[in-house]
Amino acid sequence: MAALILISTTPLAFTGTGPKAHKRRAMDAASYLVYAGTYTVRGSKGIYVYRFRSGRLTPLGPDPLAAETENPSFLAVDPSRRFLYAVNETETYPGQPEEKSGAVSAFSIDRPNGRLKLLNTVPSGGTGPCFVSLDRTGKYVLVANYSSGSVAVFAIADGGRIGKASAFVQHTGHSVDVQRQEGPHAHDIAVSPDNRFALAADLGLDKLLVYHFDAADGSLAPNDPPSASVMPGLGPRHFVFDATGNFVYLLNEVKASVTVFSYDKAAGALSEITTVPTLPPGFTGENSAAEIALGRSGRFLYTSNRGEDSIVVFAIDPGRHTLKPFEHAPTLGKTPRNFAIDPTGRYLLAANQDSDNIVVFEIDPRTGTLKPTGQVLEVPSPVALVFVPER
């Protein structure tokens, strides 16, 4: 099911002395499990597992299938690193004949062999669930249902199983794009660093909604103000907080761009600073933005373009908190729906959905630029990547 193509077989060595150098070497020598969620097409059966160590990505055994499950298009790991959660991006769920629903599944992680054991699967409360995350305590799972435009929170029971829904919110409204924004399309939901608020990006509404999140009972309540809007037609998709928790970077899918907000921690309020395109001047082909991640140093921001098929590298101005794109690195594949930066911050793995491969890049720690390592792993329709320490 998966093959590793090595163009260059020499891992990049880290040089230096002192405590920081020793710590970095220890991190580089650490071994991680990489789980790849897929769309179950072209022979894919679900979630696959690989080993990542010292910049090398290799299949974990002759059969890298970790769990058979339908369309696990986004993955999340709990803080204890014992459980993995996946949305099953479908329009219906078996056993729900009267109401269409996607699903969300819980798995326990068997570290010795990387396999996943299914704990349970529950309806997600809406159709086309596309995003899953956990709160900071690891007691709740948050899900965004894209097709039906809703968000939900589920309690996690003892042993990692998904329990009853503790909150459900149906978004309403639309925006200016009659094809993409005819109704709400929730695309992301995640808690703030202090676990007091949950933010939800809705592509169909051109809004980043803000909810009070109560970690005592898993409830959601509209904040005041309840949302921040972007320019009509941009189509919000995914977002990340900066390391301080004072700024939010929102990736807009439809009109590929990044909107930077300042964030008031006390009030949960967002104020727009700037919006910057992810495409180079003069690009005229079809394109949609897909993923966003902050580099380990906090000085660089990364996004992916589907169409231009690139990873875009932005420099972050630490004073003005503006962005300057300075590299469009080809992903050496087609349709990079997802990418992930490894825990050391030295490597970026790009999941190319339509060319069925994962490509490994080295990140220059000084410049933030990307360099292909020569590793290309064949994986059917990869669309989500997460790292878990192997030990």
Side-chain angles (χ1 to χ4, degrees):
M1 183 60 67
L4 182 65
I5 303 171
L6 283 175
I7 299 173
S8 171
T9 58
T10 304
L12 298 163
F14 175 79
T15 60
T17 59
K20 289 185 178 180
H22 289 299
K23 183 178 180 181
R24 177 59 64 88
R25 288 194 188 97
M27 290 183 67
D28 288 347
S31 185
Y32 299 92
L33 301 174
V34 177
Y35 289 97
T38 69
Y39 282 123
T40 45
V41 296
R42 297 192 293 278
S44 172
K45 295 182 179 180
I47 303 171
Y48 294 83
V49 62
Y50 306 92
R51 176 177 286 115
F52 188 78
R53 183 176 183 180
S54 300
R56 300 278 190 89
L57 183 67
T58 56
L60 197 66
D63 181 6
L65 181 65
E68 190 167 343
T69 187
E70 185 178 5
N71 287 346
S73 65
F74 209 86
L75 311 176
V77 178
D78 83 309
S80 74
R81 304 298 190 261
R82 297 167 54 212
F83 306 108
L84 181 145
Y85 298 87
V87 288
N88 299 104
E89 191 173 335
T90 62
E91 301 301 309
T92 59
Y93 174 67
Q96 300 291 307
E98 298 179 358
E99 182 179 356
K100 292 183 178 180
S101 178
V104 56
S105 298
F107 301 87
S108 62
I109 299 172
D110 187 341
R111 278 203 175 87
N113 60 29
R115 295 300 184 257
L116 299 174
K117 179 183 178 182
L118 178 65
L119 299 175
N120 70 327
T121 299
V122 302
S124 66
T127 55
C130 65
F131 192 90
V132 60
S133 65
L134 287 96
D135 83 312
R136 305 294 174 182
T137 69
K139 296 179 179 179
Y140 296 95
V141 170
L142 296 84
V143 176
N145 294 300
Y146 178 83
S147 299
S148 56
S150 62
V151 295
V153 182
F154 298 87
I156 297 177
D158 291 342
R161 293 171 59 89
I162 302 171
K164 294 181 179 180
S166 59
F168 176 84
V169 180
Q170 176 63 57
H171 295 172
T172 59
H174 61 86
S175 193
V176 297
D177 188 321
V178 296
Q179 293 183 326
R180 298 294 313 277
Q181 299 178 309
E182 82 296 344
H185 292 298
H187 217 312
D188 187 342
I189 182 168
V191 296
S192 57
D194 61 9
N195 216 44
R196 296 177 56 236
F197 297 92
L199 279 62
D202 195 302
L203 181 148
L205 304 183
D206 281 322
K207 290 181 178 181
L208 186 54
L209 297 99
V210 183
Y211 297 99
H212 284 278
F213 173 71
D214 189 335
D217 60 10
S219 61
L220 297 175
N223 188 45
D224 182 17
S227 64
S229 297
V230 297
M231 184 184 301
L234 291 187
R237 181 181 170 95
H238 287 175
F239 64 88
V240 291
F241 281 87
D242 81 326
T244 69
N246 293 320
F247 299 91
V248 175
Y249 302 97
L250 172 66
L251 181 67
N252 302 300
E253 175 180 334
V254 180
K255 302 292 185 183
S257 58
V258 179
T259 299
V260 184
F261 294 96
S262 62
Y263 177 71
D264 184 328
K265 297 178 183 178
L270 297 157
S271 300
E272 182 176 346
I273 296 173
T274 186
T275 295
V276 180
T278 68
L279 287 169
F283 182 86
T284 58
E286 293 186 3
N287 186 81
S288 61
E291 191 55 277
I292 186 168
L294 195 65
R296 184 176 176 83
S297 70
R299 296 161 48 217
F300 305 105
L301 185 74
Y302 299 83
T303 69
S304 65
N305 280 321
R306 296 173 293 183
E308 190 206 17
D309 293 336
S310 68
I311 302 294
V312 189
V313 188
F314 297 84
I316 301 173
D317 185 309
R320 297 183 297 168
H321 304 288
T322 54
L323 301 175
K324 181 180 180 180
F326 64 90
E327 182 180 35
H328 289 72
T331 62
L332 307 181
K334 185 174 177 57
T335 316
R337 186 179 185 271
N338 183 258
F339 65 86
I341 296 173
D342 85 305
T344 72
R346 291 187 62 201
Y347 299 95
L348 182 148
L349 279 58
N352 292 304
Q353 175 185 343
D354 291 333
S355 55
D356 299 332
N357 59 26
I358 298 172
V359 181
V360 182
F361 296 84
E362 181 204 6
I363 300 174
D364 187 306
R366 293 175 296 103
T367 66
T369 56
L370 302 178
K371 179 182 178 181
T373 66
Q375 297 183 80
V376 181
L377 190 70
E378 295 178 358
V379 183
S381 192
V383 293
L385 301 173
V386 293
F387 288 84
V388 177
E390 192 167 5
R391 293 181 176 81

